[in-house]
Amino acid sequence: MNESSPTVVGMIGGHGQIALRTTRLLSAVGHRVLSVIRNPDHAADVELAGGEPVMLDLERTNGDELARALGAAGTLVFAAGAGPGSGPERKETVDHQGALTTMTAAAQLGARVVQISYIGVATAPPESMGVDFAAYQRAKYAADLALEASGLDWVIVRPGTLTNDAGAGRVTVGARLDRGPVSRDNVARVLAEIVARPKLRGLTVDILDGDTEIERAVANLGS
């Protein structure tokens, strides 16, 4: 990782699979990661990854409280999600409203927001995908549009279809890529590289598994 000086990162949704992977990478090179979780049973996993658990329920907090809890953070990574089977209502309260709460906190802290979305989020899914996925698409797209219009420093990261394959450390990145697979390992490595490059901002980055070494792929985003 081509890291900046160690900094403080707020990881919103700190127990997610990508969030834990990213926390390990960042903490390994000296960054302090404040991981927002709502379930105390998840604290041990966060600590094992090198993060510091911050107990807050994103659906029941506000931007002021989140900012106070993450007061030293210079970048907030929005990695929260209601998850499969959670229903349309929680897609809205977590994936959309939770992102808005994160933006409010970032504005108070003067922090950059790095937000996880997905490739194809701007296109409404077919009815065959079901009402839950339709609600997820609406919530994620609304969050992306809100971040773009927020006036904050931001980067939106849009992975393809996530897999648990071992990441080879090589990706394809671009502004508009077709759907395809990408390992969670590779997404985490891209996120860690972006976090470590505070001058990256105002970018929407699609990610797939590919042929370009991750550090070089991310470095080229700023050129």
Side-chain angles (χ1 to χ4, degrees), residues 6 32 55 69 107 124 135 161 168 214:
R32 182 184 177 199
M55 300 304 306
T161 303
I214 285 173

Side-chain angles (χ1 to χ4, degrees), residues 2-199:
N2 185 346
E3 70 269 11
S4 62
S5 299
T7 187
V8 181
V9 179
M11 187 69 64
I12 317 301
H15 192 255
Q17 294 186 62
I18 291 173
L20 287 171
R21 287 169 165 85
T22 307
T23 298
R24 289 188 194 97
L25 294 169
L26 292 171
S27 63
V29 293
H31 297 282
R32 182 184 177 199
V33 183
L34 304 178
S35 295
V36 176
I37 56 175
R38 68 187 181 96
N39 185 344
D41 292 341
H42 294 162
D45 292 336
V46 166
E47 290 171 344
L48 187 63
E52 300 174 34
V54 175
M55 300 304 306
L56 275 180
D57 187 339
L58 193 59
E59 294 174 276
R60 292 175 172 81
T61 194
N62 57 45
D64 294 342
E65 293 168 339
L66 184 59
R68 286 195 294 272
L70 301 176
T75 296
L76 306 186
V77 179
F78 185 74
S86 56
E89 294 80 6
R90 294 201 64 228
K91 303 292 191 290
E92 171 61 21
T93 57
V94 177
D95 294 272
H96 182 202
Q97 297 300 322
L100 297 182
T101 298
T102 300
M103 292 173 213
T104 299
Q108 293 190 28
L109 297 172
R112 181 179 54 150
V113 176
V114 178
Q115 183 162 284
I116 302 176
S117 184
Y118 70 93
I119 288 178
V121 69
T123 303
E127 290 185 6
S128 60
M129 296 293 289
V131 295
D132 281 5
F133 192 83
Y136 175 70
Q137 180 269 333
R138 289 193 300 270
K140 296 299 289 184
Y141 190 41
D144 284 3
L145 292 176
L147 185 55
E148 291 170 353
S150 67
L152 298 167
D153 291 336
W154 56 268
V155 179
I156 295 172
V157 177
R158 292 178 173 171
T161 303
L162 297 169
T163 75
N164 285 323
D165 296 341
R170 295 181 176 272
V171 293
T172 297
V173 300
R176 293 186 180 180
L177 301 179
D178 292 331
R179 290 179 175 88
V182 61
S183 74
R184 288 179 171 87
D185 285 350
N186 281 343
V187 175
R189 292 178 191 177
V190 170
L191 285 170
E193 286 288 342
I194 289 172
V195 168
R197 297 173 185 269
K199 293 182 180 180

Side-chain angles (χ1 to χ4, degrees), residues 185-221:
D185 285 350
N186 281 343
V187 175
R189 292 178 191 177
V190 170
L191 285 170
E193 286 288 342
I194 289 172
V195 168
R197 297 173 185 269
K199 293 182 180 180
L200 287 179
R201 60 194 68 183
L203 297 172
T204 299
V205 183
D206 290 3
I207 314 172
L208 299 173
D209 289 333
D211 298 320
T212 304
E213 193 271 334
I214 285 173
E215 184 176 327
R216 181 157 63 89
V218 175
N220 288 341
L221 293 172

